Amino acid sequence: METSILQPTADNINRAAAELTAGALVAFPTETVYGLGANALDEQAVLSIFAAKGRPADNPLIVHVADPAAAEPLCELNDMARALMAAYCPGPLTMLLPKKPVIPPVVTAGLDSVAIRLPSHPVARQLLKACGIPVAAPSANTSGKPSPTTARHVLCDLQGKLEIILDGGECQVGLESTVLDLTSPIPTVLRPGGITPEMLADVLGEVRVADSVMRPLKAGEKALSPGMRYRHYAPVGKLSMVKGDPVRVAELIRHLAAEAAQREEKVRVFVFEEHLPLYAQLDAVSIGSLAQPESVAHRLFAVLRQADADGIHVMYSEVLPAQGIGLAVMNRLNRAAAFTLLDADALEG
Ligand code: TXA
Ligand code: MG
């Protein structure tokens, strides 16, 4: 099968909608990351998503719809869901709600809840409106890889496995949506994203963040969100995070980079724009501005993918405070680094 990247003209969106309706896979842009879509009501089509990604069958998918009316037949909406939709949808928020029977079990991996999302990207909205069906879509990457934030990233992972990738440019948010469980007594964030816990609390009052968001699962512990169980967002090379005073962080990274270079390993450093001058003579790339954490969310996955493309063996990254969008950034960075965190202040004499 030949895979084409198509510009999102009205004709191409209609062509992609026809493909979806006929049971084929289509990759499309959302404001968070690119999705790999299939008709959520067609079991065979949904199964082909799992095959294309190499995704474990027990990891459920998000169902995308254009508007609240289209969500109605799929799940039991409650007052919290309605209030959140009014405040933040369309947008980077996914709500877990009790499913209705029309959703096939393959979509939810047999769970009683279904994940519902109303994306805001104009191309995603036009596609959903044109096909008029709910679209199941995980991130359009090979399972385990960083999520794709450009059409090229999708092509890189899934070439030959689908016909159409709609090109909507770079995804604005850059990290996947916030996954919020609305089936538990207290709404609980299972995956942090563009809609922050602070924003959710503004509407709901009380919101919990699952404590597994910022730490690895313990042996035998059950993941609330099955996706959190798997190796995720991981580059091929070895990534470590380094925290502490920026000058000490730079000193430690210089020291470690020199050691790695002696082992003939290719080293890259991910630093905030403001700190680039501390890293002269090293292969240092900006991961965005410390003063604008949303710029770090926007760039993170592209920077991780570029390191793979450049054959980098060892990476060191600065860290953000885990607040606001920084919580989502650190959730992904921790997983990409397999929770390896060095403390430059503690190592200093
Ligand atoms: O921004 C996004 O959410 C993107 C775009 C394409 O919409 N999609 C995305 O899908 O990130 P995916 O499949 O890569 O991540 C979905 C996450 C997984 O961690 C999955 O386990 C969780 O949502 N999930 C889905 N349905 C669930 C359910 N019923 N119960 C618990 N977790 C669920
Ligand atoms: Mg994913």
Side-chain angles (χ1 to χ4, degrees):
M1 193 185 305
E2 177 117 17
T3 305
S4 316
I5 295 183
L6 301 182
Q7 290 311 303
T9 60
D11 275 358
N12 285 338
I13 288 174
N14 286 334
R15 191 176 142 197
E19 290 275 324
L20 281 174
T21 312
L25 299 179
V26 169
F28 61 97
T30 82
E31 70 281 18
T32 58
V33 301
Y34 277 72
L36 179 63
N39 179 354
L41 306 180
D42 177 341
E43 186 174 0
Q44 285 310 315
V46 172
L47 283 172
S48 65
I49 292 179
F50 288 89
K53 277 182 61 94
R55 181 179 176 104
D58 63 354
N59 192 4
L61 304 177
I62 297 173
V63 178
H64 298 69
V65 291
D67 45 53
E72 207 76 59
L74 311 177
C75 60
E76 309 286 350
L77 291 173
N78 56 30
D79 290 346
M80 289 189 287
R82 287 180 217 282
L84 287 171
M85 281 203 263
Y88 300 126
C89 295
L93 175 65
T94 295
M95 293 173 291
L96 301 185
L97 292 158
K99 83 187 255 310
K100 288 187 177 168
V102 66
I103 301 282
V106 281
V107 172
T108 61
L111 297 172
D112 297 332
S113 58
V114 61
I116 299 286
R117 164 155 143 72
L118 285 63
S120 65
H121 194 293
V123 175
R125 286 179 61 73
Q126 285 162 36
L127 179 66
L128 290 167
K129 283 186 183 154
C131 68
I133 46 176
V135 172
S139 47
N141 51 294
T142 298
S143 218
K145 288 272 145 212
S147 293
T149 55
T150 66
R152 288 247 134 238
H153 293 163
V154 180
L155 189 70
C156 206
D157 278 18
L158 299 177
Q159 183 148 38
K161 296 184 173 170
L162 75 172
E163 277 181 26
I164 298 179
I165 302 171
L166 287 175
D167 189 350
E170 281 181 25
C171 300
Q172 192 212 328
V173 178
L175 299 178
E176 307 86 343
S177 63
T178 304
V179 175
L180 180 69
D181 186 0
L182 289 176
T183 67
S184 52
I186 302 172
T188 305
V189 174
L190 304 185
R191 181 178 72 181
I195 304 295
T196 63
E198 295 85 344
M199 293 165 75
L200 295 169
D202 281 346
V203 173
L204 299 176
E206 195 177 9
V207 176
R208 258 176 23 95
V209 177
D211 56 344
S212 55
V213 159
M214 288 307 285
R215 62 163 172 78
L217 286 177
K218 295 173 189 145
E221 185 183 7
K222 185 170 167 284
L224 294 171
S225 181
M228 288 290 153
R229 211 169 38 228
Y230 301 107
R231 183 179 148 87
H232 234 123
Y233 315 112
V236 174
K238 166 115 182 71
L239 170 66
S240 304
M241 302 174 290
V242 189
K243 70 170 183 177
D245 168 74
V247 173
R248 286 184 172 183
V249 168
E251 276 168 13
L252 176 59
I253 288 179
R254 271 187 186 287
H255 174 77
L256 294 169
E259 285 185 347
Q262 281 201 334
R263 298 191 298 269
E264 303 203 342
E265 293 169 337
K266 277 173 100 173
V267 185
R268 179 163 296 166
V269 192
F270 305 152
V271 301
F272 302 117
E273 211 167 283
E274 293 88 340
H275 298 157
L276 273 174
L278 297 172
Y279 293 87
Q281 270 113 45
L282 288 183
D283 177 358
V285 298
S286 167
I287 46 168
S289 163
L290 184 55
Q292 284 166 310
E294 55 292 350
S295 68
V296 183
H298 177 77
R299 295 190 68 140
L300 181 67
F301 287 153
V303 164
L304 291 175
R305 280 183 172 264
Q306 191 59 48
D308 277 353
D310 296 342
I312 302 294
H313 302 110
V314 179
M315 292 153 279
Y316 298 100
S317 179
E318 293 194 281
V319 298
L320 272 179
Q323 295 151 13
I325 187 73
L327 181 69
V329 170
M330 290 312 297
N331 170 267
R332 308 311 192 276
L333 197 59
N334 265 288
R335 279 160 182 80
F339 293 91
T340 308
L341 175 64
L342 310 175
D343 184 346
D345 294 338
L347 291 177
E348 205 67 20

